[in-house]
Amino acid sequence: MKNYNHTKIPSAIKKAGAGKEKKVKEYNHLKIEHKWQKVWEDKKLYEVKNGTKGKTFVGLIEFPYPSGAGLHVGHIRSNTAMDIITRKRRMEGFNVLYPIGWDAFGLPTENYAIKMGIQPQKITKTNTDVFRKQLKSIGFGFDWSREINTTDPGYYKWTQWIFLQMYKKGLAYKAKTSINWCPSCKIGLANEEVVAGECERCGTETTKKVKEQWMLAITKYADRLDKDLDKVNYLEKIKIQQRNWIGKSEGSEISFKIITDKIFSSGPQVNSPEWLGKDILGNNFVKVFTTRADTIFGATYVVLAPEHPIITNYKLLITNWKEVEAYIKQVKDKKDIERMAEDKEKTGVELKGIKAINPATGGEVSVWIADYVLATYGTGAVMAVPAHDERDFEFAKKYNLEIKEVISGGNILEKSFTDDGILMNSGKYNDLISEDARSKITEFVGGKIVTKYKLRDWVFSRQRYWGEPIPMIHCDKCGIVPVPEKDLPVLLPKVKSYKPTDSGESPLAIISKWVNTTCPTCGGKAKRETDTMPNWAGSSWYYLRYTDPNNKKELAGKKALRYWMKNGVDWYNGGMEHTTLHLLYSRFWHKFLYDLKVVPTSEPYMKRTSHGMILALGGVKMSKSIGNTVDPKDIVNIYGADTLRIYEMFIGPFDQTVSWNTESIIGSRRFIEKVWRLGLKVSEKEAKKNNQNSSRFIPEGPYTDKNFDYSSSLQTLLHKTIKKIGEDIESMSYNTAISSMMVLVNEMEKAESIEEKDFKMFLQILAPFAPHITEEIWQSLKEKKSIHKSIWPKWDKKKIIDDIIKIAVQVNGKVRAEITVGRDTEEEEVKKMAQKDKNIASWVENKEIKRIIYVKGRIINIVV
RNA sequence: GCCCGAGUGGCGGAACUGGUAUACGCGCACGACUUAAAAUCGUGUCUCGUAAGGGAUGUGGGUUCGAUUCCCACCUCGGGCACCA
């Protein structure tokens, strides 16, 4: 791959970039950009007050994680996009809040701290300082007076406070779950630190370790999280991803009786009440969850998740226990994703010695355990209907199990038939359609209709240092006691080593001074919770804090929240990679806060859009190790912030992944320079006009045709462009917005002269994209106020209508000619003109015209 | 494996709701200006063909007067899969 040195200054801009004072005023981006950034800051142009009269608008970007790598060009892409929207809103008269902060807790900082022995606090300070400086150099309209940081005790006090409220409402609870464990390093690992089943640091194969952890009961909100998606304006694909993640499905819970060899060899009576009492283990049935109760007559075996608790209860009765035990052990260390990813080859083991009874047929079926059944979904057990389920079909083929067809319409010898259809081989339910059969059969077998969610509760504990301490105290006498609200925040203490302990606990566990405390209830000896919160905690509510960042009594004042958040955040843009976790978690927290009457809306974000990533040249990820990263600082120095902004918006469709190509930036720079030269031309003309009182400029150049009114044609284009830019910004079609501004600029160049008022309108629509150069030219044209506080221009309806329209003429769908007609020409007239056309005549002659299709103002198709 | 996207010139991409495929930009070629170069401006630039005309939007099929757009099947690439954020 070509390795382009992006720090090399292209000869095209050397002259201007050097900033020599010449007779002709050169475009010196560094001077202009520094100048206006300082002016805006001094005048507090982007700072807003709570309570100002008028409409409000809150534009939100995902606040960055201040990594040591510095600002990525990807940050600039998404920030510029929202910067453009908020600047437009400001010009439309809204009181605009465009805030910024730092999502600064997290693993990379902690790992760096461990490696270098530097305090995470210090690293965070260094990194945020770099990020702040870099962001400011791009000219974003952030309100820096509201900057927040999740690692600031004044901030995480409220993160902890929310957790306490959740605990009070029973949404925070403790449960045993497993964590990744490296037996060699003796530390718990994040999923990311486990690469192909091995510890990222030492290469040892990882295992799982069961730990008691804090959980948040997000599943209690599953239904509302699903239903309320109807209320918000998210991109459709985002809604779909959220819905699929929540995974709501209506189905049936049906019990299958378990019988053992012992019992049925002595002559069991299926369905006999006596038999029920005979099972000494008390586990005489297994519940399955199915969305296809209509296929139950075809259920030829039952499959349990290997973790299913019922299995160990039957230990003594299962005749191949050794084999079963070995299989369970083998499965245990795999992640769900790996279990399902094992392409095609499904594995499983039969539980010999026990059987289940199909409640519909009354027949005996075998019981298996297999890794394709997940303990965490449904009931952890399925009835297998190989004829009508793909996975069951594969499994049945492999282990030679019966495949019984109960829905007609497929060819089950070849593959499973998974559609709904008409029942067969199903006793008295034959000939019913699936939909009706589901409820009837469920009732018949004594099952019940239930709603299940794929969504699982949120594992909220981390055995790490660099996170918010969970504000809980363990007392021998009183049990788990929450830290009283008045004692918040529970501060992160300074430690010597940030390394997790070899017992699997957080580094906080070894600071006895901090751990040992007194019980708030009884005053006796007690210990603090040493687990910390995940990174998601601080980012689940940060947007609220921007409304009132320094409040010491509440997470944000009621008045401030009502002022800014009466609709929630108006527009939130972020990465597609956050659509399932962060977005769902913060919606959950927001709904909880709504129930507490802390926030005025039930949804945090009115509108959510997403951006694509920026990859390096060749479509690979930018990474330090490959050496293909791009430092925005270099681009700003060489080309300027305005050029960088234009380039990043022009690079490709905003919602799609794009590749960075430094060679192409020059195109954006040329565009900016053309604007600059036009600006000079307009201001020179202004100067002349003032001196000589000269009359209106008469255009020269290519448009000397007497009938061609160039200035009116340019105005048509200008007004069309104003309309298009407005629409394109709203639909985030920045790349086409810029291309149409390029078209306009090219035309204005040809015109040799432009009316000042027209040029100013153009500057205004360019201003959100390139705020510095437009401000410079604007104020050089004797404007006193900032262009960013000017009124967004209105396009004129009368000016955007073309009088003459070109219509393509097709014969049998192929374009053969083009005719020009007046705007109001009648259909019949157009048809006649088309047939008379020279080119068309030769195609049509001696042929029978079957049909003529006319699409007004576009196309005419003659079918022969 | 499951869920969500994407695939168009040498390259980034455009095309409204099914209506002239390749706008805009990069690159390249030629020309103007210049002692020269850079910058700038102009012209050309999907492909086969002298032309008439034909072919081309990942692949194969379908619907339609007409398909980049709709339907079916497949291939490739990207994002997510719950402890990276």
Side-chain angles (χ1 to χ4, degrees):
Chain A
M1 190 183 48
K2 192 174 172 188
N3 203 352
Y4 189 85
N5 179 6
H6 68 264
T7 57
K8 200 181 97 192
I9 302 176
S11 50
I13 60 170
K14 254 183 196 160
K15 264 202 301 194
K20 286 175 199 159
E21 290 299 328
K22 284 199 171 183
K23 278 175 202 163
V24 182
K25 213 174 147 199
E26 299 277 7
Y27 171 54
N28 182 334
H29 60 265
L30 287 175
K31 222 168 143 186
I32 292 170
E33 287 167 5
H34 287 158
K35 171 178 151 193
W36 290 111
Q37 281 163 17
K38 191 165 182 306
V39 171
W40 296 333
E41 196 165 336
D42 290 348
K43 291 197 171 168
K44 303 186 173 176
L45 195 73
Y46 308 118
E47 289 185 21
V48 279
K49 287 195 183 114
N50 292 357
T52 308
K53 272 191 184 157
K55 311 169 278 186
T56 61
F57 181 84
V58 181
L60 187 69
I61 47 152
E62 285 166 347
F63 61 160
Y65 174 74
S67 75
L71 199 67
H72 187 270
V73 286
H75 289 118
I76 297 176
R77 189 183 192 202
S78 54
N79 293 7
T80 304
M82 189 50 72
D83 196 45
I84 290 168
I85 290 162
T86 50
R87 281 175 188 279
K88 178 167 179 264
R89 288 288 182 278
R90 217 173 270 127
M91 291 169 81
E92 287 167 337
F94 287 80
N95 195 28
V96 170
L97 177 57
Y98 187 31
I100 181 76
W102 316 106
D103 187 16
F105 276 128
L107 257 194
T109 303
E110 177 161 338
N111 285 340
Y112 190 75
I114 293 168
K115 209 167 112 193
M116 308 301 287
I118 308 172
Q119 287 176 354
Q121 287 84 348
K122 276 192 184 162
I123 300 167
T124 299
K125 169 88 173 56
T126 310
N127 289 351
T128 51
D129 285 348
V130 170
F131 265 67
R132 190 181 304 104
K133 203 176 151 197
Q134 287 187 308
L135 286 174
K136 285 188 173 178
S137 77
I138 315 293
F140 295 124
F142 291 130
D143 180 349
W144 285 99
S145 72
R146 293 168 186 258
E147 181 181 338
I148 59 165
N149 188 324
T150 54
T151 65
D152 181 348
Y155 180 92
Y156 69 68
K157 172 180 177 176
W158 299 105
T159 312
Q160 292 174 335
W161 180 85
I162 297 170
F163 178 85
L164 285 183
Q165 310 311 310
M166 290 211 163
Y167 178 76
K168 280 186 197 163
K169 298 281 180 189
L171 292 172
Y173 64 97
K174 280 205 130 178
K176 277 187 179 157
T177 63
S178 58
I179 59 170
N180 299 308
W181 181 254
C182 174
S184 162
C185 305
K186 291 189 174 162
I187 58 170
L189 299 172
N191 280 348
E192 196 200 37
E193 297 170 299
V194 180
V195 179
E198 290 173 359
C199 171
E200 184 183 55
R201 304 146 201 255
C202 67
T204 310
E205 202 171 309
T206 60
T207 57
K208 296 256 170 144
K209 186 172 178 140
V210 174
K211 263 219 84 202
E212 199 158 78
Q213 307 215 68
W214 283 100
M215 309 281 292
L216 294 185
I218 188 172
T219 49
K220 290 201 173 151
Y221 280 73
D223 193 44
R224 284 165 69 190
L225 288 168
D226 180 281
K227 224 174 16 196
D228 288 354
L229 285 171
D230 290 335
K231 290 187 193 168
V232 290
N233 177 17
Y234 291 4
L235 288 185
E236 200 49 39
K237 62 178 174 183
I238 296 175
K239 283 193 186 182
I240 294 170
Q241 284 280 61
Q242 289 244 326
R243 284 223 159 88
N244 290 343
W245 187 259
I246 296 165
K248 181 177 179 170
S249 63
E250 301 268 334
S252 315
E253 240 175 41
I254 297 169
S255 295
F256 278 58
K257 273 170 192 145
I258 300 288
I259 54 178
T260 67
D261 276 340
K262 262 188 195 157
I263 297 167
F264 61 74
S265 62
S266 66
Q269 295 303 306
V270 172
N271 290 335
S272 119
E274 291 159 41
W275 177 83
L276 277 172
K278 275 183 191 168
D279 192 319
I280 44 162
L281 297 163
N283 286 308
N284 48 26
F285 62 86
V286 58
K287 255 190 205 170
V288 304
F289 174 73
T290 177
T291 56
R292 293 299 304 272
D294 53 312
T295 63
I296 194 166
F297 284 85
T300 53
Y301 58 97
V302 165
V303 192
L304 309 178
E307 301 91 337
H308 201 291
I310 205 171
I311 298 166
T312 44
N313 291 347
Y314 281 97
K315 189 174 170 180
L316 295 172
L317 298 169
I318 294 169
T319 55
N320 60 337
W321 179 251
K322 276 209 170 139
E323 192 191 351
V324 170
E325 200 177 19
Y327 182 76
I328 294 172
K329 195 181 177 311
Q330 180 204 323
V331 167
K332 220 172 77 181
D333 291 339
K334 290 186 202 165
K335 289 197 288 175
D336 288 354
I337 172 176
E338 287 164 347
R339 278 165 60 169
M340 293 186 291
E342 269 181 65
D343 287 6
K344 283 145 206 167
E345 269 304 281
K346 302 232 166 348
T347 61
V349 175
E350 185 178 356
L351 301 182
K352 289 184 178 146
I354 66 170
K355 299 268 180 195
I357 302 296
N358 182 327
T361 62
E364 245 173 50
V365 298
S366 54
V367 180
W368 292 70
I369 57 173
D371 59 2
Y372 77 90
V373 175
L374 301 178
T376 48
Y377 181 61
T379 57
V382 300
M383 61 175 210
V385 186
H388 306 288
D389 181 278
E390 264 174 56
R391 287 170 308 175
D392 296 343
F393 184 83
E394 247 173 63
F395 194 81
K397 279 272 175 194
K398 182 169 173 184
Y399 294 102
N400 252 329
L401 296 158
E402 191 196 346
I403 299 172
K404 182 182 169 193
E405 186 177 21
V406 290
I407 307 286
S408 59
N411 177 8
I412 61 141
L413 292 176
E414 272 178 23
K415 61 178 217 178
S416 59
F417 176 70
T418 57
D419 293 350
D420 277 7
I422 294 168
L423 272 67
M424 58 191 279
N425 295 331
S426 299
K428 61 179 177 180
Y429 298 99
N430 281 345
D431 302 327
L432 277 182
I433 59 167
S434 295
E435 208 184 325
D436 298 337
R438 279 196 272 271
S439 53
K440 287 188 175 151
I441 292 181
T442 302
E443 197 183 323
F444 168 66
V445 298
K448 61 175 182 186
I449 303 285
V450 292
T451 305
K452 293 274 178 197
Y453 300 93
K454 283 208 179 95
L455 186 67
R456 311 205 291 256
D457 276 348
W458 176 1
V459 181
F460 199 67
S461 292
R462 300 292 184 272
Q463 292 71 45
R464 291 287 183 163
Y465 172 76
W466 196 226
E468 301 88 344
I470 292 178
M472 287 292 167
I473 290 169
H474 300 268
C475 170
D476 287 343
K477 258 202 275 174
C478 314
I480 294 172
V481 181
V483 172
E485 283 179 26
K486 65 173 172 54
D487 294 342
L488 294 180
V490 176
L491 289 172
L492 256 183
K494 285 195 178 150
V495 287
K496 287 204 184 95
S497 165
Y498 305 101
K499 227 175 166 168
T501 64
D502 58 12
S503 62
E505 286 179 290
S506 121
L508 296 175
I510 52 171
I511 315 171
S512 47
K513 235 174 117 184
W514 183 80
V515 172
N516 292 319
T517 185
T518 51
C519 171
T521 308
C522 70
K525 272 188 186 172
K527 286 182 188 302
R528 285 188 189 280
E529 170 66 58
T530 59
D531 280 357
T532 54
M533 300 186 194
N535 205 272
W536 307 109
S539 62
S540 288
W541 70 280
Y542 72 108
Y543 51 95
L544 299 171
R545 189 68 178 170
Y546 287 133
T547 65
D548 194 6
N550 301 312
N551 196 319
K552 293 206 167 88
K553 291 185 179 147
E554 295 169 278
L555 59 84
K558 284 253 156 44
K559 252 183 156 177
L561 287 170
R562 269 202 305 270
Y563 179 71
W564 291 110
M565 296 283 168
K566 48 188 170 287
N567 299 315
V569 168
D570 292 279
W571 194 332
Y572 188 21
N573 183 75
M576 216 44 209
E577 70 275 21
H578 292 293
T579 31
T580 44
L581 299 180
H582 160 66
L583 197 59
L584 203 68
Y585 289 153
S586 67
R587 289 182 61 222
F588 162 48
W589 276 39
H590 192 91
K591 284 185 179 309
F592 173 69
L593 292 173
Y594 176 67
D595 293 346
L596 289 184
K597 299 194 163 53
V598 172
V599 294
T601 59
S602 63
E603 281 289 331
Y605 317 116
M606 271 286 278
K607 179 171 181 157
R608 166 82 185 193
T609 51
S610 74
H611 57 253
M613 296 198 313
I614 298 187
L615 302 177
L617 197 61
V620 291
K621 269 198 180 151
M622 285 191 187
S623 87
K624 271 194 171 166
S625 57
I626 304 174
N628 58 3
T629 53
V630 177
D631 189 342
K633 191 178 72 205
D634 297 333
I635 309 294
V636 169
N637 283 336
I638 299 165
Y639 297 89
D642 282 337
T643 298
L644 175 59
R645 293 167 60 111
I646 293 282
Y647 172 67
E648 292 217 14
M649 293 295 101
F650 187 58
I651 191 168
F654 181 66
D655 62 346
Q656 276 169 45
T657 307
V658 290
S659 303
W660 180 271
N661 184 356
T662 301
E663 273 183 80
S664 297
I665 300 176
I666 193 68
S668 302
R669 169 74 188 202
R670 283 181 191 142
F671 168 66
I672 289 288
E673 285 185 9
K674 279 182 190 177
V675 174
W676 179 254
R677 287 197 298 268
L678 282 172
L680 292 180
K681 214 189 269 182
V682 172
S683 57
E684 274 163 24
K685 191 187 137 200
E686 252 325 273
K688 261 188 215 160
K689 201 165 131 191
N690 290 340
N691 292 338
Q692 303 169 4
N693 224 350
S694 66
S695 61
R696 201 169 154 262
F697 183 87
I698 297 148
E700 298 163 12
Y703 298 95
T704 45
D705 185 343
K706 278 176 210 159
N707 299 322
F708 193 90
D709 182 350
Y710 192 83
S711 73
S712 98
S713 128
L714 188 63
Q715 281 214 340
T716 301
L717 184 64
L718 172 69
H719 282 265
K720 274 186 179 173
T721 308
I722 294 171
K723 178 170 185 277
K724 183 166 167 56
I725 302 307
E727 291 164 358
D728 278 356
I729 290 175
E730 296 306 320
S731 64
M732 304 190 113
S733 310
Y734 304 107
N735 54 334
T736 53
I738 290 168
S739 88
S740 53
M741 284 192 281
M742 285 174 169
V743 172
L744 177 64
V745 163
N746 291 343
E747 289 304 312
M748 287 196 292
E749 245 192 353
K750 280 183 203 158
E752 302 268 326
S753 169
I754 319 120
E755 293 286 321
E756 189 193 314
K757 64 170 177 46
D758 287 347
F759 187 68
K760 279 186 177 167
M761 282 207 238
F762 162 69
L763 284 179
Q764 286 177 300
I765 57 170
L766 177 63
F769 296 81
H772 309 90
I773 188 176
T774 48
E775 184 82 298
E776 174 74 18
I777 302 174
W778 179 259
Q779 302 217 9
S780 78
L781 294 172
K782 308 281 181 291
E783 289 286 347
K784 298 260 158 54
K785 275 194 188 161
S786 170
I787 190 169
H788 305 298
K789 293 268 175 155
S790 68
I791 310 287
W792 186 254
K794 286 203 169 67
W795 50 275
D796 186 339
K797 243 183 189 171
K798 281 172 268 169
K799 285 186 176 154
I800 61 164
I801 299 165
D802 289 307
D803 292 330
I804 292 166
I805 305 166
K806 282 177 183 170
I807 290 178
V809 185
Q810 297 184 333
V811 178
N812 287 345
K814 295 228 175 223
V815 179
R816 300 297 180 189
E818 189 175 83
I819 55 172
T820 313
V821 301
R823 187 179 1 130
D824 302 317
T825 317
E826 294 293 322
E827 180 168 342
E828 283 311 310
E829 182 65 17
V830 176
K831 283 182 179 173
K832 268 184 211 158
M833 283 170 73
Q835 287 176 73
K836 269 187 218 153
D837 188 275
K838 267 187 287 179
N839 296 326
I840 298 304
S842 65
W843 284 98
V844 177
E845 67 186 350
N846 303 329
K847 281 172 191 148
E848 183 197 347
I849 295 174
K850 285 185 187 157
R851 256 170 96 184
I852 299 180
I853 295 141
Y854 176 57
V855 181
K856 192 161 191 289
R858 286 191 181 279
I859 205 163
I860 182 157
N861 190 11
I862 303 171
V863 186
V864 296

